[in-house]
Amino acid sequence: MPTAAAISPEILAKYQPVIGLEVHVQLLTRTKAFCGCVNQYGGEPNTHCCPTCLGLPGALPVLNKQAVEFAVLAAKAIGCEIRETSIFSRKNYFYPDSPKGYQISQFDKPIAEHGELFVPDGIGGTKRIGITRLHLEEDAGKSVHDGFADSVNRTYIDLNRCGTPLVEIVSEPDLRSADQVFDYLTKLKEILLYTAVSDCNMEEGSLRCDANVSVMLKGATEYGTKAEVKNVNSFRYIRSAVEYEIERQIGVIEDGGRVIQESRLWNNAEGRTYSMRSKEKAHDYRYFPEPDLPPLVVGPEWQAKILRAMPELPEPRRARMISEYEISAQDAMTLTATGAFADRFEAAAKRAKSPRRVANLILSELTSRLRLAELELEASPVSLEGVVMAADLLESGEMSSKMLKQLLDMSFANGEDFPVVYEREKPQQISDASAIEGMIDEVIAANAKQVEQYRKGKKTVAAFFVGQVMRASKGQANPALLNELVARKLDELGPL
Ligand code: ADP
Ligand code: ZN
Ligand code: MG
């Protein structure tokens, strides 16, 4: 696999890479941006179309309210300010998959600006990445270059995607390495998934990224000329493409050449980028305000209503969970891998005697077994309800941790949820009062200090005796009876 001409670490170290990202995100609206056609991936080619999204003469666009609300939600989640009155513009260009001959987009008055995201800076701190703008626009159709008998000399057009609502999120040229690019995209995607405005499915093109890359000598005050790497469909490939592009440009400069402003395509099989078209003469899109759409006004009331749908975002949520469940940052990452799982976890944990124990059970006993079985958390044979039940049984002392491990092993071996296994395998309960009393007497005799505390009025010490007897009975003592008998026995001793 040819790579960029090998550049020595000393030469690499002379240069500062500079990267800015343009991310296109399809919104999960039911219908398209400006017409009533269904907004759905795939389908028989050219069946999700109407005169409006085909750009037939006389057809008029009507803005999708849901798309506006999703755009506002996404924008706020990445710290943008909302522009109360934004303007749609026509971006004119000819391309076969865009039958109107222009794209409805936003130009100088986008719906949102001035956001930010924070990424690890690579030396233990965080770096702020400015977000220039988030604007609403529509997607184009697709040119289909292969899959047909005559694909060698023909290209087909599928216009189903025409008019799909998008937000474009443009970053400042604040990124300084391929790793930062990867982290920025990962964070952005996570936030978008939390707000549920998009499925961010990269294979289906719901999230697409163009990376603008330049290099300059360290300490230089002016950015170098950028090249734009288009449409790479995985974050790992984007990282590779940016790494390649940085080295390519340094190579060009070191050889005495100059970097050309152009669009380039990443070829993953070859691990390199190729020039696609020169952008030397900036495109003239002849932007002008869209005459068929009025200015978009999102006033304070509408904004407030939209923001009621704002979920707790991943980072604040993790910070809260770290302190609430006394878990590590890494563990908080695991529990919040998806917003949906985090929601279900927290709902379940709330019902448990000790939410913290539920978290720890998931992170230790459950995760280790899932890893062995090569299963995702979502596919666990033990449900969250099962984990809550197990945690409560541990908490009350009705089940030993040794027994828990055995029962979980059975759950995983049989694909049965914990409550099923527990009901079948649970120890026979001892409900014979005299047998339990005998065990209580032994524990009382062996723990003079705790007995004294109790008699001096510290009634909570009763739980200690209950726990000891539960353990002694291997979890078999009837818990209600045990509680009652412990209290009676201790009270019989009288106060001190
Ligand atoms: P264009 O007019 O070519 O579209 P923009 O100024 O709109 O350029 O910027 C597009 C993207 O390129 C933004 O994400 C921006 O941060 C990034 N960018 C601009 N200049 C540079 C540069 N010199 N190096 C790397 N990225 C850059
Ligand atoms: Zn349509
Ligand atoms: Mg631009």
Side-chain angles (χ1 to χ4, degrees):
M1 190 161 85
T3 52
I7 311 263
S8 72
E10 293 74 37
I11 292 180
L12 272 182
K14 287 187 351 198
Y15 289 89
Q16 176 60 66
V18 173
I19 306 123
L21 298 177
E22 295 164 290
V23 177
H24 290 88
V25 183
Q26 286 184 355
L27 301 176
L28 275 177
T29 54
R30 201 175 55 76
T31 54
K32 291 185 180 180
F34 303 111
C35 63
C37 291
V38 62
N39 171 27
Q40 202 175 73
Y41 177 78
E44 271 298 296
N46 303 306
T47 55
H48 303 162
C49 309
C50 72
T52 301
C53 55
L54 294 177
L56 299 187
L60 290 174
V62 178
L63 178 59
N64 183 331
K65 197 173 146 199
Q66 176 82 80
V68 175
E69 298 191 341
F70 281 167
V72 169
L73 203 56
K76 278 291 194 179
I78 51 176
C80 288
E81 293 160 18
I82 306 299
R83 183 191 302 273
E84 209 176 302
T85 303
S86 65
I87 304 288
F88 285 97
S89 293
R90 287 190 184 179
K91 181 178 180 181
N92 297 281
Y93 62 93
F94 176 76
Y95 210 71
D97 57 22
S98 171
K100 290 206 295 280
Y102 60 86
Q103 176 192 29
I104 301 180
S105 181
Q106 296 191 305
F107 183 49
D108 54 348
K109 293 198 169 64
I111 188 163
E113 287 171 301
H114 311 308
E116 62 186 12
L117 278 185
F118 292 85
V119 297
D121 61 4
I123 47 169
T126 53
K127 174 157 172 56
R128 176 187 182 277
I129 310 301
I131 290 171
T132 319
R133 56 191 275 146
L134 174 151
H135 67 251
L136 267 164
E137 59 184 31
E138 59 177 335
D139 213 340
K142 273 184 200 168
S143 298
V144 186
H145 300 290
D146 41 41
F148 291 93
D150 52 357
S151 282
V152 191
N153 47 30
R154 247 172 231 223
T155 290
Y156 287 83
I157 302 289
D158 176 4
L159 298 176
N160 281 351
R161 203 177 66 179
C162 275
T164 295
L166 298 177
V167 287
E168 177 174 343
I169 300 166
V170 183
S171 88
E172 292 289 306
D174 286 347
L175 295 151
R176 292 290 174 268
S177 70
D179 282 340
Q180 285 182 11
V181 166
F182 183 88
D183 290 336
Y184 170 91
L185 290 169
T186 305
K187 281 224 160 151
L188 181 61
K189 178 176 165 186
E190 185 182 60
I191 290 173
L192 293 169
L193 284 175
Y194 257 68
T195 53
V197 303
S198 174
D199 62 19
C200 296
N201 183 329
M202 294 193 77
E203 283 89 61
E204 296 181 358
S206 311
L207 189 153
R208 310 196 291 273
C209 174
D210 302 335
N212 298 271
V213 182
S214 69
V215 298
M216 61 183 181
L217 282 172
K218 279 191 180 151
T221 49
E222 247 180 69
Y223 291 149
T225 304
K226 69 177 161 39
E228 181 186 32
V229 185
K230 309 248 352 151
N231 276 333
V232 192
N233 68 355
S234 97
F235 292 172
R236 278 189 302 125
Y237 293 169
I238 292 170
R239 177 163 56 191
S240 305
V242 169
E243 260 163 22
Y244 173 89
E245 194 52 29
I246 291 167
E247 296 205 13
R248 185 191 68 82
Q249 294 183 12
I250 292 175
V252 166
I253 297 170
E254 285 288 315
D255 286 347
R258 66 183 186 93
V259 174
I260 300 170
Q261 178 156 345
E262 62 183 351
S263 296
R264 298 180 69 88
L265 281 182
W266 171 247
N267 182 318
N268 196 56
E270 296 179 24
R272 56 164 293 182
T273 61
Y274 280 95
S275 179
M276 186 166 95
R277 59 168 184 255
S278 167
K279 248 194 168 182
E280 196 80 270
K281 291 190 197 70
H283 239 109
D284 182 3
Y285 291 119
R286 298 185 297 116
Y287 276 102
F288 63 86
E290 166 61 59
D292 292 337
L293 286 169
L296 167 59
V297 180
V298 188
E301 266 174 42
W302 193 11
Q303 283 187 41
K305 183 172 156 270
I306 297 168
L307 291 182
R308 269 183 248 139
M310 182 69 85
E312 185 183 17
L313 292 172
E315 226 136 277
R317 179 174 212 170
R318 281 195 281 268
R320 177 180 56 75
M321 285 172 67
I322 287 168
S323 71
E324 202 167 316
Y325 304 106
E326 300 171 60
I327 54 179
S328 70
Q330 184 55 48
D331 287 346
M333 285 297 282
T334 307
L335 292 177
T336 55
T338 67
F341 182 80
D343 287 347
R344 293 198 298 118
F345 158 71
E346 293 212 80
K350 270 201 200 92
R351 290 193 291 273
K353 292 197 175 94
S354 160
R356 193 183 152 213
R357 197 185 275 278
V358 174
N360 284 318
L361 261 188
I362 292 174
L363 293 163
S364 55
E365 299 297 339
L366 195 63
T367 323
S368 60
R369 284 173 179 76
L370 287 169
R371 202 174 303 132
L372 274 178
E374 295 181 11
L375 288 174
E376 295 293 320
L377 212 42
E378 303 279 359
S380 169
V382 177
S383 66
L384 280 171
E385 297 313 317
V387 177
V388 168
M389 179 181 179
D392 283 352
L393 288 167
L394 283 176
E395 192 70 20
S396 66
E398 285 168 76
M399 180 177 62
S400 67
S401 54
K402 187 170 154 217
M403 170 133 207
L404 168 75
K405 286 177 207 278
Q406 288 166 355
L407 297 185
L408 285 179
D409 286 341
M410 272 182 223
S411 282
F412 273 76
N414 305 341
E416 293 171 319
D417 201 353
F418 178 81
V420 177
V421 176
Y422 181 77
E423 284 310 320
R424 192 176 59 230
E425 306 287 337
K426 73 178 171 197
Q428 288 301 310
Q429 274 201 349
I430 303 172
S431 295
D432 170 2
S434 64
I436 295 176
E437 279 174 333
M439 289 188 276
I440 296 174
D441 288 339
E442 279 177 36
V443 173
I444 285 179
N447 294 283
K449 202 175 93 207
Q450 283 83 354
V451 171
E452 190 185 317
Q453 286 172 342
Y454 186 91
R455 295 178 69 193
K456 283 184 174 157
K458 198 172 169 204
K459 301 285 180 192
T460 52
V461 180
F464 164 79
F465 290 95
V466 170
Q468 291 294 309
V469 176
M470 215 20 128
R471 242 143 241 138
S473 74
K474 299 202 165 60
Q476 297 181 24
N478 175 322
L481 187 58
L482 172 59
N483 272 300
E484 185 193 316
L485 292 177
V486 162
R488 190 189 306 157
K489 285 252 171 207
L490 288 168
D491 286 337
E492 274 170 12
L493 298 172
L496 270 181

